[in-house]
Amino acid sequence: MDNTIVRSKFQEHFNTTGDLYFSPGRINLIGEHTDYNGGFVFPGAIDKGILAEIKVNGTNKVRAYSVDIDEYVEFGMNEEDAPEQSWARYIFGVVREIIKRGGQVGGFDTAFAGDVPLGAGLSSSAALESTFAYALTTIFQIDTDKFELAKIGQATEHNYCGVKCGIMDQFASVFGKKGHLIRLDCRSLEHSYFPFDPAAHGYRLVLVNSCVKHELVGSPYNDRRASCERVAKVLGQEFLRGATMAQLDAIKDQISEEDYKRARYVIGEERRVLDVCEALEKDDYETVGARMYETHWGMSLDYEVSCEELDFLATVAKECGVTGSRIMGGGFGGCTINLVKEELYDNFIATATAKFNEKYGHEPKIYPVIISDGSRKL
Ligand code: GLA
């Protein structure tokens, strides 16, 4: 990401220069809403994210400027100093979570900007958290491993932003590796890197953004999590992870119809992630794609986190012969992720763009996926 704007805004506001830190957004090939169920996910970091320039300012205040929103905020670092602006709460939350873990954070100045689209399901918020978690622990020499960085980001969401998210987004942002997806067991945090190069097999991975903005804060996201926790409890388990359909059917009359459907989706998704990992090891992209469609319709019909526009995009993808297509991320808007054969790519993009435009009056945005490295100092 070009750093000229961040550099010039930092200079303009603080009349000095600092260091640059970057953390990426993520894609997720499969394994949606499984992270907070203790299950598996299969994400990778992308080449888009958040870039921040930061310098210690010798006070006990944070002075932060968001280039994209064109807003400047100052806040202290005690619990009662929480800023109102939602973007600033991410930075405040990270500071607080580091302090709560015993880290000594001093005041600093920062200007930041992003090229990861907001509310598109690409984890712009995790990118923001990871950027500051990585930068502040580096700058203030707080001994923190990468697992803890991811947990600081997740705790920020829980405690300062109102989203009871899982660990996937922050983990992918911090641990990302160029050309690799990460198969992560969200219960043990055991993970392995999978080389992922669809182009070598004649495929492309592309995101189609419906531009329906999703907003997980105060959204039904937390309700989905609560449904899963209720079912796990009836099953006598900490997480839904590992539950079978037979076990679920055996308690069907003790849970609501809605909770049943939510759990049915999660149990199916658990299987699909493992299938996809296995298929990839055999370069079996057809199976990968088939599971992606199953995930889409599971998320739409059972988990009910899709929307009309995303269902439309997945349907058009199928009609165009796209190998796999599904809603990606938390849901309620954002992008589909599509695995497309090279020779069908141009036609798919042209057809999806035209049909979507005809129906919804605006074109979707297209982002080719480039799997990249995680949090770093530039
Ligand atoms: C959001 C959350 C993640 C995960 C996904 C759905 O991105 O932040 O923790 O639950 O939704 O897979």
Side-chain angles (χ1 to χ4, degrees), residues 26 28 31-36 41 121 123 125 157 163-170 214 216 221 299 329-331:
R26 60 104 190 92
N28 185 26
E32 229 54 275
H33 292 272
T34 44
D35 57 355
Y36 53 80
V41 291
S123 297
S125 58
E157 295 274 355
V163 182
K164 297 286 178 202
C165 66
I167 191 80
M168 168 169 73
D169 304 349
Q170 293 77 11
H214 87 154
L216 295 185
Y221 180 93
M299 286 177 83

Side-chain angles (χ1 to χ4, degrees), residues 10 14 57 83 93 162 174 196 207 232 236 246 262 300 304 365 374 377:
F10 190 89
F14 307 113
N57 65 18
V174 171
F196 183 65
L207 304 175
R262 306 297 188 242
S300 177
E304 297 181 276
K365 292 208 169 85
K377 184 177 177 188

Side-chain angles (χ1 to χ4, degrees), residues 94-370:
V94 169
V95 169
R96 287 300 307 157
E97 289 298 332
I98 296 175
I99 293 174
K100 284 186 204 167
R101 287 164 174 73
Q104 306 228 328
V105 181
F108 59 90
D109 296 337
T110 184
F112 72 95
D115 62 354
V116 55
L118 302 179
L122 297 174
S123 297
S124 49
S125 58
L128 180 55
E129 291 145 13
S130 304
T131 299
F132 281 90
Y134 184 92
L136 297 178
T137 52
T138 306
I139 293 168
F140 294 103
Q141 299 179 354
I142 300 162
D143 191 20
T144 319
D145 65 16
K146 283 183 170 184
F147 294 97
E148 204 54 37
L149 291 181
K151 287 180 191 164
I152 287 169
Q154 184 193 24
T156 298
E157 295 274 355
H158 286 201
N159 300 328
Y160 298 94
C161 308
V163 182
K164 297 286 178 202
C165 66
I167 191 80
M168 168 169 73
D169 304 349
Q170 293 77 11
F171 197 96
S173 182
V174 171
F175 282 82
K177 183 168 163 184
K178 193 173 172 190
H180 290 75
L181 296 180
I182 313 169
R183 190 183 76 167
L184 170 66
D185 177 334
C186 297
R187 189 170 62 187
S188 64
L189 295 189
E190 219 173 277
H191 58 289
S192 45
Y193 289 100
F194 271 64
F196 183 65
D197 185 9
H201 302 277
Y203 289 89
R204 287 207 211 173
L205 200 58
V206 64
L207 304 175
V208 179
N209 188 356
S210 65
C211 301
V212 176
K213 271 221 170 172
H214 87 154
E215 177 70 86
L216 295 185
V217 181
S219 79
Y221 180 93
N222 291 348
D223 299 341
R224 299 299 182 281
R225 182 173 183 150
S227 279
C228 295
E229 287 171 354
R230 274 194 297 271
V231 178
K233 200 164 170 209
V234 177
L235 287 169
Q237 303 188 172
E238 186 188 0
F239 296 118
L240 266 186
R241 153 86 176 267
T244 61
M245 275 310 295
Q247 285 173 313
L248 181 65
D249 285 332
I251 57 150
K252 196 171 180 185
D253 57 353
Q254 299 170 53
I255 57 179
S256 69
E257 177 68 28
E258 191 176 272
D259 285 358
Y260 176 82
K261 284 196 330 189
R262 306 297 188 242
R264 176 166 65 189
Y265 161 77
V266 171
I267 291 170
E269 186 70 350
E270 202 62 61
R271 186 63 251 155
R272 286 189 286 272
V273 186
L274 299 176
D275 278 1
V276 161
C277 292
E278 226 178 275
L280 266 189
E281 279 173 328
K282 294 185 247 160
D283 296 329
D284 174 6
Y285 282 75
E286 290 303 313
T287 298
V288 174
R291 294 296 170 273
M292 290 169 74
Y293 280 113
E294 285 167 25
T295 294
H296 181 85
W297 293 107
M299 286 177 83
S300 177
L301 303 172
D302 273 356
Y303 221 60
E304 297 181 276
V305 293
S306 186
C307 61
E308 194 198 307
E309 290 84 347
L310 290 166
D311 288 350
F312 183 76
L313 284 173
T315 304
V316 171
K318 186 81 187 167
E319 287 164 7
C320 291
V322 169
T323 307
S325 177
R326 66 173 196 84
I327 177 175
M328 193 185 70
F332 313 107
C335 298
T336 56
I337 180 168
N338 302 271
L339 183 65
V340 197
K341 279 210 178 102
E342 183 66 49
E343 62 269 25
L344 298 179
Y345 184 85
D346 289 343
N347 176 60
F348 166 53
I349 298 302
T351 308
T353 303
K355 287 200 162 172
F356 192 89
N357 192 18
E358 191 185 310
K359 190 157 166 92
Y360 297 108
H362 65 91
E363 292 188 353
K365 292 208 169 85
I366 311 295
Y367 318 114
V369 171
I370 301 168

